[in-house]
Amino acid sequence: TEDTKNITDIQEFADTYMCENIGASSEWFAFALSDTECDFSKYISSLNHYISENPPSSVSALKYALVYRALGVDNEYTSKTAQELTDDGGVMYIVFALHLLNNRLESQSVTKEAIVQKLIGMQNDDGGWSVIKGNSDVDATAMALQALACYKNEYTKEIKKAVEFLSNVQTDAGAFKSYGVENAESTAQVIIALSDLGIDCKNDERFI
């Protein structure tokens, strides 16, 4: 893109673009690049400053805690965010909360089992999940499945139903839509979810 065309490597990307776009797109890049040998110290310092100056919403607070966890940072913010988790939130809050608890963090106020049950209880009749009440959404469904992948042997019926929903809404081109618009992000979320569940979408007849 215009603002990244002169960046030559991942380290420069982390030290410039990611530091300048915290709260917008940087967190998703942090997740994606966390397994690289990149030095994220400058980004982490920028994230610390951003959070101190911009108190996050409940969902964003969990997202930032997950970023710290992905980058190997164990700080007071992360542990405090996990300790204060509840099962009273929307679907994305519950998804992020479950990811935190799946990554060996603990809450003083809610159990992992309670969060799993809350997420299962949010599943719509068609097998999907939605951010707002109404029709199920591909992104919300795929992200819910990613969080539930650890429990695929316990909630086989619910997960099978969600996978069937994703299969049914796949476009003729093999892609996926979110809010009526076909896009690569939604398709990628589905691929991640299926991969987490051990489903090879290149060979599974539901997704070829």
Side-chain angles (χ1 to χ4, degrees), residues 2-208:
E2 188 65 27
D3 51 357
T4 59
K5 66 180 183 180
N6 295 321
I7 294 177
T8 58
D9 57 33
I10 292 175
Q11 188 62 62
E12 185 181 358
F13 180 73
D15 290 343
T16 56
Y17 183 88
M18 286 180 59
C19 292
E20 295 162 3
N21 289 275
I22 292 173
S25 57
S26 295
E27 291 67 55
W28 305 108
F29 290 115
F31 291 135
L33 297 172
S34 60
D35 285 339
T36 69
E37 295 181 358
C38 182
D39 177 6
F40 289 101
S41 57
K42 187 172 181 181
Y43 167 75
I44 292 169
S45 177
S46 297
L47 180 59
N48 294 340
H49 178 73
Y50 179 87
I51 291 174
S52 69
E53 296 291 323
N54 302 273
S57 66
S58 57
V59 174
S60 293
L62 301 190
K63 182 171 63 174
Y64 298 140
L66 282 168
V67 168
Y68 282 128
R69 195 66 170 172
L71 299 180
V73 177
D74 291 315
N75 55 13
E76 183 179 353
Y77 177 89
T78 304
S79 59
K80 184 174 184 292
T81 301
Q83 288 168 8
E84 295 176 351
L85 288 175
T86 74
D87 60 357
D88 182 22
V91 65
M92 292 316 304
Y93 178 93
I94 298 300
V95 164
F96 286 159
L98 186 52
H99 277 307
L100 277 177
L101 297 179
N102 285 340
N103 280 278
R104 299 185 300 280
L105 287 167
E106 296 182 357
S107 172
Q108 295 179 337
S109 55
V110 69
T111 64
K112 188 188 300 185
E113 290 72 23
I115 294 291
V116 172
Q117 287 299 321
K118 180 62 181 282
L119 186 55
I120 291 294
M122 290 175 159
Q123 189 172 23
N124 296 326
D125 291 341
D126 62 6
W129 278 264
S130 49
V131 174
I132 55 177
K133 289 184 179 180
N135 296 331
S136 294
D137 175 61
V138 167
D139 285 34
T141 301
M143 294 178 81
L145 283 175
Q146 291 165 29
L148 289 169
C150 299
Y151 313 96
K152 63 182 180 181
N153 295 325
E154 301 171 51
Y155 296 95
T156 54
K157 182 178 70 173
E158 292 84 356
I159 288 176
K160 180 181 179 182
K161 194 173 181 180
V163 170
E164 289 175 351
F165 165 77
L166 292 176
S167 175
N168 290 335
V169 298
Q170 188 178 26
T171 70
D172 291 340
F176 290 86
K177 296 180 179 180
S178 183
Y179 297 100
V181 180
E182 186 176 296
N183 66 94
E185 190 272 338
S186 296
T187 305
Q189 291 285 12
V190 173
I191 292 172
I192 293 169
L194 296 178
S195 299
D196 283 348
L197 294 170
I199 297 173
D200 182 356
C201 60
K202 290 169 60 179
N203 294 301
D204 191 293
E205 63 182 9
R206 293 169 294 182
F207 294 96
I208 295 174

